[in-house]
Amino acid sequence: MGSSKLDFNNSWKTVIFTTIGIYLAAFILGIILHAQGSNSDVKQMLPESYVQSLTSLKTISIEDAYNDYTSKKAVFIDARDNAEYVEGHIKGAINIPYDKFGRYYQKYEGMLPKGRMLITYCHGIGCGLSVDVAKHLIAMGYTNVYVLTEGWPGWVSANLPTSVGKEP
């Protein structure tokens, strides 16, 4: 009878190297796909009627938001977390992260009169943070609230004014 002996020293090495190889390939592929997606000139915007039907909120395009920005008609509210805000945000925007809404709202309440136009934004298509912040504001009695559907990525793609660092 022949002896069948497994070589555990070589088999665990094979598993480890194969696993590392798979993770490395997935990581590189992810970087490539992310880079291609962030450089595309495709306008990433859901139809306004679709967003409104889902959220019952008013939306605003990059072009209209920029007009309100240049005329200083609106206050822009970044709904992303503070670390992302510090890395880059719409110039002059205030930061009210959804998950810390109460604390940050108190900080900026004086800058947010009830009749003022408020435009919330976050990561763009698929990001609900700006929708959630807008809903909070509406529940508090604000009536002139808009969601910038294209969000931060759309603003950056349009080469509009940005800033880095802490709040204004």
Side-chain angles (χ1 to χ4, degrees):
M1 222 190 235
S3 165
S4 156
K5 190 171 162 186
L6 290 175
D7 185 0
F8 286 107
N9 287 334
N10 284 332
S11 64
W12 72 265
K13 287 178 186 176
T14 303
V15 169
I16 288 176
F17 285 117
T18 302
T19 303
I20 290 171
I22 291 170
Y23 279 117
L24 187 57
F27 178 74
I28 292 170
L29 181 61
I31 289 173
I32 292 168
L33 291 175
H34 178 73
Q36 287 177 344
S38 64
N39 290 332
S40 74
D41 289 334
V42 176
K43 189 174 184 179
Q44 296 180 352
M45 183 171 172
L46 295 173
E48 182 175 342
S49 59
Y50 176 72
V51 174
Q52 286 178 350
S53 70
L54 290 178
T55 65
S56 301
L57 297 173
K58 296 179 271 186
T59 59
I60 191 166
S61 68
I62 290 289
E63 295 81 12
D64 290 339
Y66 182 64
N67 287 336
D68 295 324
Y69 175 86
T70 57
S71 66
K72 301 187 188 310
K73 284 176 48 178
V75 174
F76 286 76
I77 300 171
D78 189 324
R80 300 173 304 152
D81 69 42
N82 189 256
E84 291 172 303
Y85 174 88
V86 169
E87 287 177 11
H89 54 271
I90 293 174
K91 189 171 184 171
I94 61 174
N95 184 218
I96 303 180
Y98 166 72
D99 61 340
K100 297 176 182 106
F101 182 86
R103 182 174 48 155
Y104 279 78
Y105 174 77
Q106 288 178 343
K107 181 177 181 177
Y108 294 112
E109 187 175 6
M111 295 174 64
L112 304 171
K114 295 284 185 186
R116 188 81 190 263
M117 179 183 210
L118 306 177
I119 299 175
T120 64
Y121 71 92
C122 58
H123 300 105
I125 304 305
C127 177
L129 300 175
S130 56
V131 170
D132 293 334
V133 167
K135 285 180 178 181
H136 277 308
L137 292 166
I138 291 167
M140 297 173 77
Y142 291 91
T143 57
N144 202 8
V145 180
Y146 294 81
V147 174
L148 181 59
T149 312
E150 294 172 82
W152 173 244
W155 192 269
V156 171
S157 292
N159 293 316
L160 300 176
T162 62
S163 185
V164 296
K166 296 280 183 193
E167 299 87 34

